[in-house]
Amino acid sequence: GAGVSQSPRYKVAKRGQDVALRCDPISGHVSLFWYQQALGQGPEFLTYFQNEAQLDKSGLPSDRFFAERPEGSVSTLKIQRTQQEDSAVYLCASSFPEGERLNTEAFFGQGTRLTVV
Amino acid sequence: TQLLEQSPQFLSIQEGENLTVYCNSSSVFSSLQWYRQEPGEGPVLLVTVVTGGEVKKLKRLTFQFGDARKDSSLHITAAQTGDTGLYLCAGPSYNTDKLIFGTGTRLQVFP
């Protein structure tokens, strides 16, 4: 597609519920990132894939958070047993057209706003 | 750990005023980027600065990369209401593609 697409745009979950957030990166982009953003703050890194390989998951706040990108394109961020502190906007970004590495510009989706009640 | 601190955190000004936003780190970055984010949207890249001392201009916006590549600034001349948004600096982590974001500066420009 033309840009990074995330779904759903909004998700309300009851505490303890599992959620799955989807990211469709720009076609051909090798790198895919997940960030968590609190209101008015800068995005905080969660995890990073290069193709299907998860190279860095140091930002995942707990073992309730899990991300995958099985075929090197679409990615899913799963949060198990959601807690109120998980409420945030989850941003996905992709970068580096395949075969090219000129800069680190990241193209972001619109994000998924998760509210845990 | 590479950290990027931005100041000020909030800025509220009237149209026509000038402003400067700062992005500082104790670490050296190979490049720094500036993004602008509007409510309900993802950040959008404004500029990338790569060389120490580099100055780039984008209409009324002037971006500077410090000589030591540890800091950057964004100067807006004659601010307009359309400049309202969250401004973020970001830089790549050591030897990875991962971007580290600054703490953000929320700018509100009033008519």
Side-chain angles (χ1 to χ4, degrees), chain B residues 22-86:
Chain B
Y22 299 93
C23 173
N24 294 293
S25 177
S26 58
S27 304
V28 174
F29 283 86
S30 59
S31 63
L32 279 179
Q33 299 177 330
W34 285 92
Y35 289 80
R36 189 176 110 201
Q37 185 177 21
E38 298 189 26
E41 302 292 329
V44 175
L45 181 69
L46 296 173
V47 78
T48 301
V49 285
V50 179
T51 307
E54 181 177 5
V55 176
K56 280 191 174 178
K57 292 193 175 185
L58 189 67
K59 297 183 181 177
R60 295 175 294 101
L61 277 60
T62 302
F63 304 85
Q64 185 162 9
F65 200 11
D67 291 340
R69 292 185 287 129
K70 292 183 177 181
D71 56 87
S72 182
S73 64
L74 158 60
H75 182 79
I76 301 180
T77 303
Q80 299 177 356
T81 55
D83 295 328
T84 293
L86 179 67

Side-chain angles (χ1 to χ4, degrees), chain A residues 74-94:
Chain A
V74 171
S75 177
T76 304
L77 176 66
K78 297 178 179 178
I79 308 174
Q80 296 177 323
R81 305 181 302 283
T82 52
Q83 304 294 316
Q84 284 190 319
E85 60 263 27
D86 299 336
S87 296
V89 173
Y90 291 86
L91 292 167
C92 175
S94 68

Side-chain angles (χ1 to χ4, degrees), chain A residues 62-80:
Chain A
S62 78
D63 58 8
R64 297 186 294 104
F65 286 71
F66 171 77
E68 60 183 5
R69 194 187 185 195
E71 297 178 359
S73 56
V74 171
S75 177
T76 304
L77 176 66
K78 297 178 179 178
I79 308 174
Q80 296 177 323

Side-chain angles (χ1 to χ4, degrees), chain A residues 9 31 33 35 37 39-43 45 48 50 56 58 91 95-96 101 103-111 113, chain B residues 9-10 31 33 35 37 40-45 48 86 88 91-92 95-106:
Chain A
R9 286 293 313 276
S31 299
F33 307 85
Y35 288 86
Q37 186 175 29
L39 189 63
Q41 303 294 314
F45 171 80
Y48 153 53
Q50 197 167 81
D56 188 338
S58 61
L91 292 167
S95 69
F96 295 106
R101 184 173 175 146
N103 59 54
T104 56
E105 178 178 2
F107 295 85
F108 283 83
Q110 292 179 298
R113 179 176 294 279
Chain B
Q9 188 177 359
F10 300 100
S31 63
Q33 299 177 330
Y35 289 80
Q37 185 177 21
E41 302 292 329
V44 175
L45 181 69
T48 301
L86 179 67
L88 298 159
N95 299 320
T96 72
D97 305 341
K98 178 173 85 177
L99 273 179
I100 298 169
F101 278 86
T103 47
T105 295
R106 182 163 295 282

